[in-house]
């Protein structure tokens, strides 16, 4: 038994020395350079609303309506693949806009503002889902909820409905 142990000893020593040889090499690997995160938030809140959020929401709200006359009720709704794709783009803008509202430099506080922005994002997501499913009834039904999400933030932060 004893001689056997001795034959293993050099191997163990070799493994150990290999480990030691590797360690300093790993430590000298330079840290990856991290780009500084700088958000461009120069667009004012008003501009973000007027040029990004409001037009996107309007396109979605205007996309579905019912016109009633003596001949009956006719749906005005997206029809072609192109129509749906155009709406999907606008709903995606809204989903991402919720994130933009939460950026440092935009968020008015870390509490209620974040909740309002999140709620808005969830409503926008529901719109995107209805559009992906081409569900006209659903899209019509949830339009009011999206509007509600806009208004409740405005009531608190903008004096604007
Ligand atoms: C998380 C808060 C928040 C949400 C959600 C929000 N807004 Fe706003 N909105 C504001 C604030 C704050 C202002 C006031 C900006 C200012 O005047 O400085 C504003 C202003 C506006 C204005 C007026 C801009 C102007 O200067 O005339 C419009 C239009 C608008 N929002 C549309 C919308 C629509 C449409 C939605 C939803 C689809 C929405 N907003 C969701 C916070 C929000």
């Amino acid at each position: 038994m004893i001689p056997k142990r001795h034959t293993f000893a050099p191997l163990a020593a070799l493994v150990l020395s290999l480990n030691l040889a590797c360690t300093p090499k790993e430590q000298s690997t330079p840290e990856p350079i991290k780009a500084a995160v700088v958000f461009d938030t120069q667009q004012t809140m008003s501009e973000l609303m007027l040029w990004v959020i409001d037009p996107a929401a309007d396109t979605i709200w205007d996309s579905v309506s019912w016109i009633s006359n003596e001949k009956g009720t006719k749906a005005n709704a997206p029809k072609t693949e192109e129509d749906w794709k155009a709406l999907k783009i606008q709903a995606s803008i809204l989903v991402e806009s919720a994130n933009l509202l939460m950026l440092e430099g935009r968020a008015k506080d870390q509490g209620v503002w974040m909740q309002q922005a999140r709620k808005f994002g969830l409503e926008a997501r529901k719109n995107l889902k209805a559009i992906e499913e081409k569900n006209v009834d659903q899209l019509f039904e949830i339009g009011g909820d999206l509007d509600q999400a806009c208004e409740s933030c405005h009531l608190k932060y903008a004096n604007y409905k």
Side-chain angles (χ1 to χ4, degrees):
M1 288 301 281
I2 291 162
K4 253 190 186 173
R5 261 191 211 155
H6 278 180
T7 51
F8 278 111
L11 190 63
L14 183 67
V15 169
L16 189 69
S17 72
L18 280 176
N19 275 345
L20 286 174
C22 282
T23 314
K25 208 177 166 199
E26 274 168 12
Q27 277 172 351
S28 69
T29 309
E31 281 276 299
I33 299 161
K34 284 183 194 139
V37 179
V38 181
F39 298 123
D40 181 342
T41 52
Q42 287 181 74
Q43 299 249 85
T44 63
M45 191 60 72
S46 176
E47 288 166 347
L48 180 62
M49 293 292 153
L50 289 175
W51 300 342
V52 182
I53 295 178
D54 199 44
D58 273 345
T59 307
I60 293 172
W61 285 325
D62 292 346
S63 70
V64 186
S65 59
W66 269 269
I67 306 144
S68 292
N69 58 21
E70 62 278 3
K71 285 181 197 155
T73 305
K74 207 178 125 216
N76 164 37
K79 290 176 194 74
T80 64
E81 274 305 312
E82 279 302 301
D83 291 344
W84 285 110
K85 194 179 157 200
L87 278 188
K88 200 168 154 181
I89 291 170
Q90 302 306 317
S92 300
I93 289 173
L94 288 186
V95 167
E96 293 300 336
S97 294
N99 298 332
L100 299 182
L101 288 169
M102 291 189 245
L103 284 184
E104 194 185 327
R106 287 249 168 75
K108 304 261 185 209
D109 59 58
Q110 288 299 306
V112 174
W113 178 271
M114 294 307 231
Q115 286 166 10
Q116 296 285 350
R118 177 93 182 110
K119 174 87 179 97
F120 162 63
L122 291 173
E123 293 302 337
R125 169 67 62 188
K126 279 192 219 160
N127 277 263
L128 180 58
K129 189 168 177 279
I131 289 163
E132 280 171 343
E133 291 168 357
K134 300 190 172 83
N135 188 335
V136 173
D137 290 341
Q138 174 76 355
L139 192 56
F140 184 73
E141 242 167 63
I142 62 179
D145 296 342
L146 179 63
D147 187 38
Q148 194 57 47
C150 311
E151 282 183 24
S152 74
C153 187
H154 294 159
L155 275 175
K156 176 104 176 69
Y157 292 96
N159 266 340
Y160 174 89
K161 291 184 202 171

